[in-house]
Amino acid sequence: MKIMVAIKRVIDYAVKIRVKPDKSGVVTQNVKMSMNPFCEIALEEALRMRESGLASEVVAVTMGPSQCLDTLRTGLAMGADRGIHVDSTSALHPLHVAKILMNLVQIEKPSLIILGKQAIDDDCNQTGQMVAGLLNWPQGTFASKVVLDKEKEEVTVDREVDDGIETVQLKLPAVITTDLRLNQPRYATLPNIMKAKSKPIKKFTPQELNVEIKSDLEIVEVTEPPKRKAGVMVSSVDDLIDKLKNEAKVI
């Protein structure tokens, strides 16, 4: 059984984000980039399935400019068997990514696609749902536990929802998006980083996959959130209630 995992290159979660002076986006030059944390969780889950004998191959897929190869190599160093890089210098929105994945599925024929539930740069939380819709595959989103039954060709997913945990059973092939509590991703060791350099990476362009990169979205302006006001110490409960009622107007 083959598992396909989509991974994205984003600004590292520990970096302080700065808005460009012209407010057209955020500064990415000379900024540390890394794999999206939710994508790391998705890849880790796929690797655990392969190591337990439930899968035979894990294919990591990334999309974007040539710099994304660094992120793909990290995925290979973590343990993915091979990589696919869809080279594009244009901005890719969730629907573009979903269409590219749909066409890669026709080539690779995976039984399972695992993605992070969202990327920490745009927080869209759309790609997994869109690719499932395009493929007409069942989907288990926000997964906090995944149990794969190879014999029955089905997967059981515990989903984190507002009311608690919802358990769904999906027939393969299927799409899963991962939440934070699913697992703790491994670190790439130095020997595996060296081995990753010799692992195969297949390259495509969106045009080769019959995907037109055209967006109906336009970013009008990017601004920083307003700075929080300093807190105020109150002398009594009555003062607190008065401020909440008359100043904050929340009660």
Side-chain angles (χ1 to χ4, degrees):
M1 190 182 85
K2 185 188 296 183
I3 302 175
M4 181 182 287
V5 182
I7 58 178
K8 185 178 183 182
R9 177 177 181 262
V10 298
I11 296 176
D12 189 85
Y13 72 92
V15 171
K16 179 175 171 54
I17 304 297
R18 293 180 292 122
V19 176
K20 291 179 179 178
D22 62 1
K23 297 185 178 180
S24 62
V26 298
V27 176
T28 56
Q29 272 193 323
N30 302 317
V31 171
K32 182 184 178 184
M33 309 293 279
S34 61
M35 189 187 302
N36 177 47
F38 289 102
C39 297
E40 288 182 332
I41 294 168
L43 181 55
E44 175 65 27
E45 193 65 19
L47 295 175
R48 291 185 185 188
M49 289 179 182
R50 188 196 61 195
E51 289 165 356
S52 63
L54 296 172
S56 57
E57 186 180 32
V58 175
V59 181
V61 180
T62 194
M63 305 167 200
S66 57
Q67 293 91 328
C68 293
L69 284 170
D70 294 337
T71 305
L72 190 55
R73 289 289 181 198
T74 300
L76 296 175
M78 286 176 66
D81 297 291
R82 56 189 177 89
I84 296 175
H85 175 220
V86 181
D87 193 359
S88 174
T89 55
S90 303
L92 297 174
H93 295 292
L95 186 56
H96 300 141
V97 176
K99 287 180 177 179
I100 289 170
L101 287 173
M102 176 186 70
N103 285 287
L104 285 174
V105 164
Q106 311 307 321
I107 298 170
E108 292 291 332
K109 303 287 192 293
S111 299
L112 189 61
I113 301 176
I114 309 181
L115 312 90
K117 71 170 185 177
Q118 66 194 71
I120 62 171
D121 53 359
D122 55 21
D123 282 326
C124 281
N125 181 18
Q126 296 173 345
T127 305
Q129 293 89 327
M130 285 180 172
V131 73
L134 291 170
L135 290 167
N136 197 26
W137 286 9
Q139 57 181 301
T141 54
F142 319 132
S144 60
K145 183 180 179 183
V146 177
V147 178
L148 180 63
D149 190 324
K150 192 176 179 181
E151 298 299 321
K152 293 182 179 179
E153 294 190 345
E154 62 186 25
V155 59
T156 304
V157 179
D158 285 357
R159 302 181 60 241
E160 295 194 6
V161 296
D162 290 342
D163 293 332
I165 301 294
E166 177 186 78
T167 302
V168 295
Q169 202 168 62
L170 315 172
K171 282 289 184 184
L172 297 178
V175 177
I176 293 173
T177 70
T178 60
D179 216 325
L180 279 174
R181 280 161 286 280
L182 180 59
N183 61 49
Q184 180 65 43
R186 69 192 69 187
Y187 290 102
T189 62
L190 184 58
N192 286 336
I193 291 172
M194 300 305 292
K195 288 178 186 176
K197 294 180 179 179
S198 61
K199 288 185 178 180
I201 294 177
K202 192 182 292 185
K203 291 195 176 185
F204 293 96
T205 64
Q207 291 73 28
E208 290 172 337
L209 297 170
N210 299 314
V211 177
E212 183 183 4
I213 306 302
K214 186 180 74 172
S215 178
D216 295 326
L217 298 175
E218 179 188 356
I219 296 175
V220 178
E221 187 179 70
V222 176
T223 58
E224 291 188 23
K227 288 185 169 57
R228 294 181 62 180
K229 295 179 181 178
V232 177
M233 297 292 291
V234 294
S235 58
S236 67
V237 174
D238 290 337
D239 284 347
L240 174 61
I241 293 172
D242 180 67
K243 286 185 178 294
L244 290 174
K245 186 175 182 180
N246 298 315
E247 292 185 22
K249 299 188 187 300
V250 294
I251 60 173

